[in-house]
């Protein structure tokens, strides 16, 4: 599992631009990104496999186009339960706080192909321990909570 791309945007409602590296600030967000606000949605992630799925549907999409800060490869992020912890590199720590989000009105991807995966497959994390992240860095699950069946 690895980081494919890191991305930021200066304004809300636009695609993020791929960067050579970004700095994750603990309990805040991505340095220089408009969405850094210290809420439970400090960092957005989407799997490259989900971007590839949208390409198979006819969308001309790339990392950052879904407004995700980090694009990963090798893990189905949306299958991880809330509370899952991730490690980037040797010491950056994240905790999963939300799966999916409401797609904003006028989503260009939804208009282009009739679907958008961010509401179902994008995830959000709080940054527990920050640091510099760049494409190629390792990404792993360090803790996955046990989900008990509903009674």
């Amino acid at each position: 599992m690895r980081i494919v791309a890191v991305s930021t945007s200066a304004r809300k409602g636009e695609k993020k631009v791929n960067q050579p590296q970004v700095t994750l600030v603990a309990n805040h967000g991505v340095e220089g990104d408009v969405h850094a606000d210290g809420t439970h949605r400090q960092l957005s992630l989407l799997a490259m496999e989900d971007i590839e799925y949208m390409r198979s549907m006819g969308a001309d999409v790339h990392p950052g186009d879904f407004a995700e800060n980090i694009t990963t490869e090798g893990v189905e992020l949306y299958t991880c339960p809330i509370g899952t912890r991730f490690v980037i590199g040797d010491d950056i720590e994240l905790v999963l706080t939300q799966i999916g989000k409401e797609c904003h009105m006028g989503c260009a991807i939804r208009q282009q192909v009739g679907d958008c995966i961010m509401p179902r497959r994008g995830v959000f994390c709080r940054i527990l321990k920050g640091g510099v992240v760049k494409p190629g860095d390792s990404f792993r699950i360090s803790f996955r909570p046990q989900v008990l069946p509903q009674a």
Side-chain angles (χ1 to χ4, degrees):
M1 296 185 285
R2 69 181 184 101
I3 304 297
V4 173
V6 294
S7 310
T8 61
S9 60
R11 292 191 306 250
K12 290 186 178 185
E14 56 185 35
K15 295 177 181 180
K16 294 200 184 288
V17 177
N18 294 163
Q19 305 294 335
Q21 67 182 35
V22 295
T23 300
L24 305 186
V25 179
N27 298 309
H28 184 67
V30 179
E31 190 174 272
D33 187 74
V34 67
H35 293 102
D37 61 7
T39 67
H40 72 287
R41 289 175 34 165
Q42 297 169 10
L43 181 68
S44 58
L45 297 90
L46 185 66
M48 189 66 204
E49 292 83 354
D50 295 323
I51 294 172
E52 292 292 343
Y53 168 75
M54 290 304 295
R55 287 178 179 169
S56 76
M57 303 266 300
D60 180 20
V61 290
H62 307 278
D65 287 355
F66 292 89
E68 78 278 8
N69 295 116
I70 293 182
T71 309
T72 64
E73 183 177 64
V75 61
E76 290 183 324
L77 295 167
Y78 70 96
T79 66
C80 297
I82 301 296
T84 298
R85 291 186 181 227
F86 304 108
V87 174
I88 299 174
D90 292 329
D91 56 0
I92 296 171
E93 298 176 12
L94 314 172
V95 62
L96 182 66
T97 57
Q98 181 177 327
I99 300 168
K101 72 173 189 108
E102 189 172 326
C103 205
H104 65 81
M105 296 299 290
C107 171
I109 295 165
R110 184 179 301 279
Q111 289 177 2
Q112 183 182 4
V113 297
D115 190 20
C116 180
I117 43 126
M118 197 63 180
R120 297 182 309 277
R121 297 193 177 186
V123 303
F124 296 88
C125 292
R126 271 188 27 250
I127 303 165
L128 302 176
K129 185 176 178 189
V132 175
V133 181
K134 60 189 178 311
D137 284 351
S138 64
F139 180 83
R140 65 183 170 84
I141 297 171
S142 63
F143 172 76
R144 186 181 182 116
Q146 192 72 344
V147 177
L148 301 174
Q150 297 288 328

